Amino acid sequence: MTIQQNIIADRKKSEDEQAKELLECKNDRYSSMDLISNMVRAKPDERQTAQSLKSHPMFWEADRKMRFVKVVRAVQDEEERHKSKIVENALESVASNVFVDWFIEIEDIPKIGIDFVNHIRTNNYLGKHYVNNSKKLTYLIRMIRNYGEHKHFNLGDGITIFTEQFPKLIIEVYKVMATFKTNNKLEKFYLED
């Protein structure tokens, strides 16, 4: 009854309290918080259906997260060919929710190693672009996709090492890209009723 009364009254714990409780969650805590907040909205018509919640990133395994990153990058590439920046601007609008400077932050990941960081820094093709655009979410996505494709470094499944460092990465990108879910490349990640 208490849970139901809290839902009706729209009483919920602060994000900090929720994050603390979900800190040990197997999946990233921010996806968990987003899922729960979608389920307990005070107004029933604002809640997502059980069917649509099944496609939520909370339930994604690493390979699906990596496929999502690759698809998001493909959508960006498509947009760049058309000289548009709508997707890029939407993604950059949430970059500060995900990181401050992703290049500096990946230098702090013990499992990554100095060889990987130096490769990014000295890569003749994209290295300078990565370092010079380390405050842009679109470049983090590009880097993850590129290094996921080219397995020169031991990055495990290619995504978990980054989602552990940037726990809001997948959920923030997912929420932004929902605006573009009618794109045939993205629609499989956003199930409807």
Side-chain angles (χ1 to χ4, degrees):
M1 289 299 283
T2 303
I3 293 171
Q4 186 175 7
Q5 290 170 347
N6 286 343
I7 292 170
I8 292 168
D10 198 22
R11 278 191 302 265
K12 50 191 161 209
K13 295 179 180 179
S14 72
E15 281 193 18
D16 288 341
E17 289 173 308
Q18 292 176 43
K20 186 177 178 181
E21 287 181 6
L22 295 168
L23 194 56
E24 298 301 318
C25 186
K26 176 184 168 219
N27 295 290
D28 77 80
R29 61 189 173 272
Y30 297 102
S31 287
S32 304
M33 289 167 41
D34 183 73
L35 175 75
I36 292 166
S37 67
N38 276 313
M39 293 167 54
V40 297
R41 292 200 173 137
K43 296 179 183 172
D45 59 323
E46 291 179 359
R47 295 180 204 143
Q48 288 184 281
T49 64
Q51 178 66 24
S52 64
L53 287 172
K54 286 178 10 182
S55 68
H56 194 277
M58 168 70 187
F59 303 113
W60 293 1
E61 297 294 328
D63 64 324
R64 186 166 176 85
K65 290 177 184 179
M66 190 63 174
R67 283 195 314 272
F68 179 66
V69 167
K70 289 177 180 179
V71 166
V72 168
R73 186 61 217 159
V75 170
Q76 288 177 258
D77 287 342
E78 185 179 288
E79 180 184 63
E80 287 173 9
R81 283 192 297 279
H82 293 98
K83 307 283 189 237
S84 177
K85 289 190 173 226
I86 296 169
V87 172
E88 178 183 342
N89 292 338
L91 286 166
E92 296 310 334
S93 74
V94 299
S96 63
N97 296 346
V98 179
F99 56 80
V100 175
D101 182 316
W102 64 260
F103 186 76
I104 290 171
E105 292 177 50
I106 64 167
E107 288 180 308
D108 295 335
I109 304 173
K111 297 178 206 167
I112 283 220
I114 197 70
D115 290 341
F116 179 75
V117 172
N118 285 337
H119 187 269
I120 292 174
R121 188 177 283 124
T122 61
N123 180 314
N124 288 331
Y125 178 63
L126 282 173
K128 66 179 182 254
H129 296 295
Y130 289 146
V131 175
N132 293 337
N133 290 289
S134 61
K135 294 186 181 187
K136 291 188 149 214
L137 181 55
T138 51
Y139 277 81
L140 175 61
I141 291 167
R142 177 182 294 199
M143 186 276 298
I144 293 170
R145 190 272 319 260
N146 286 348
Y147 282 94
E149 292 285 317
H150 310 289
K151 308 256 185 203
H152 302 301
F153 297 92
N154 183 10
L155 300 177
D157 56 36
I159 189 72
T160 301
I161 198 163
F162 297 109
T163 57
E164 287 175 352
Q165 182 69 23
F166 307 107
K168 289 185 176 181
L169 173 67
I170 297 297
I171 194 61
E172 290 292 339
V173 172
Y174 180 78
K175 291 188 302 189
V176 165
M177 296 307 288
T179 305
F180 310 100
K181 67 184 176 185
T182 56
N183 179 298
N184 64 346
K185 291 179 175 87
L186 286 167
E187 62 189 7
K188 63 185 165 218
F189 296 98
Y190 298 90
L191 294 178
E192 295 296 328
D193 293 331

